[in-house]
Amino acid sequence: MKAIRFPLVAILVVVSGVALLTGCTASSTGEIDNPVLRRATWIDFISAGDIRQNCRPGAAERIRFVLNANRAEQVRIYDLNAANETLRIRVLTPKQRIDEIRLDNSITRFFNPSDMTVRLSERDTALILSAYRKDLAAPRSELPSELLTEWHFWLVGACLDGKFTYDAWVNPGRDFLALTFPENLLRRDISNIPLNLPPGERLTIRDYNPERQQGYDHYILHLREDRVILGQNYGLDKSK
């Protein structure tokens, strides 16, 4: 049977159109393979909504670490399950553009993150938990209320001792640089995808450059006590 071929642009239009109809407010199951569902549930996913919903006394200790290393360039997700002693590693990066996709393969695989799971020792699990607890308890010099998706920042949602916590650390800043949990995660990262290094200074909307956007919308995230809320998109006209 001859494979049916569709232009990539047409597929992207369908994917984007369906996602926009959802309003990006759907609840996440913790999975992000499907590009349509990922767009629809992304804010709840990076808010660790699935962990928050199941967090109660006696629940397994779970943490979702999200490193937004400029949304248009790289997002790294680390899911720690202390009960199973596993660390799931997912990395989203821009995919190489192609003119056509064959329907005899999985269409969505071109949009999937790199996805792998590491089996941890009891000691490794304890080290990650200990580092995060230490960072969470450390005095803060800055408590961000808004985040731009061009920035480099950590979002962390955790169910520890039956209670859900959510926090953010933004680069550059003393709090971000003082974190100890990133080293523990990166030392166990087997993705072989280099870390997208942060810039030396924090960009503002006035610094927005559409040539760096790489086909991605950038937007403002509003940080709340237990999640982030999607704010407005921003572009070149917002700097005038």
Side-chain angles (χ1 to χ4, degrees):
M1 178 179 177
K2 187 176 180 180
I4 303 174
R5 300 165 72 90
F6 288 96
L8 179 60
V9 172
I11 294 173
L12 290 176
V13 168
V14 172
V15 169
S16 299
V18 174
L20 287 174
L21 290 175
T22 66
C24 299
T25 58
S27 297
S28 172
T29 63
E31 298 301 326
I32 54 173
D33 282 350
N34 185 300
V36 176
L37 295 180
R38 180 166 71 235
R39 180 70 181 268
T41 63
W42 182 249
I43 298 303
D44 193 59
F45 174 78
I46 63 175
S47 295
D50 53 307
I51 295 177
R52 181 179 64 248
Q53 183 178 5
N54 294 295
C55 189
R56 58 184 61 88
E61 293 188 320
R62 296 176 57 199
I63 308 178
R64 176 166 299 145
F65 303 90
V66 178
L67 176 59
N68 184 97
N70 186 338
R71 176 177 178 265
E73 296 174 357
Q74 187 180 97
V75 180
R76 307 178 83 95
I77 304 109
Y78 301 89
D79 274 284
L80 175 70
N81 188 319
N84 295 337
E85 296 183 343
T86 57
L87 182 67
R88 186 179 182 184
I89 303 159
R90 287 173 281 185
V91 185
L92 283 162
T93 57
K95 303 296 183 181
Q96 181 179 357
R97 295 190 65 86
I98 56 176
D99 293 331
E100 295 180 326
I101 293 176
R102 299 171 62 91
L103 284 187
D104 55 353
N105 293 317
S106 169
I107 292 177
T108 61
R109 72 183 178 86
F110 293 98
F111 307 96
N112 288 351
S114 299
D115 190 344
M116 60 221 68
T117 299
V118 176
R119 185 75 181 180
L120 301 174
S121 66
E122 183 177 350
R123 179 177 180 274
D124 286 344
T125 302
L127 284 172
I128 296 173
L129 284 171
S130 175
Y132 177 64
R133 289 179 188 274
K134 175 185 175 183
D135 292 335
L136 192 63
R140 300 289 296 273
S141 62
E142 178 186 25
L143 294 173
S145 60
E146 290 186 347
L147 307 166
L148 304 188
T149 55
E150 275 192 288
W151 291 353
H152 282 58
F153 53 82
W154 284 99
L155 296 174
V156 185
C159 181
L160 299 175
D161 303 319
K163 296 181 180 179
F164 182 79
T165 62
Y166 193 75
D167 219 324
W169 290 266
V170 188
N171 178 77
R174 287 182 297 173
D175 298 334
F176 184 93
L177 296 175
L179 291 172
T180 60
F181 71 76
E183 180 181 358
N184 283 276
L185 296 175
L186 293 171
R187 288 176 61 184
R188 293 159 180 85
D189 188 329
I190 60 171
S191 67
N192 292 321
I193 299 175
L195 178 66
N196 190 37
L197 297 177
E201 60 184 22
R202 190 176 301 172
L203 301 174
T204 69
I205 291 180
R206 291 185 177 276
D207 301 315
Y208 174 79
N209 181 355
E211 293 181 358
R212 297 178 56 228
Q213 197 171 354
Q214 300 181 13
Y216 289 78
D217 290 332
H218 279 294
Y219 43 80
I220 299 171
L221 298 176
H222 301 284
L223 185 63
R224 298 293 184 260
E225 182 179 2
D226 63 352
R227 69 193 71 196
V228 288
I229 303 295
L230 181 65
Q232 69 179 29
N233 287 31
Y234 61 89
L236 190 60
D237 60 327
K238 297 292 192 302
S239 66
K240 297 179 181 178

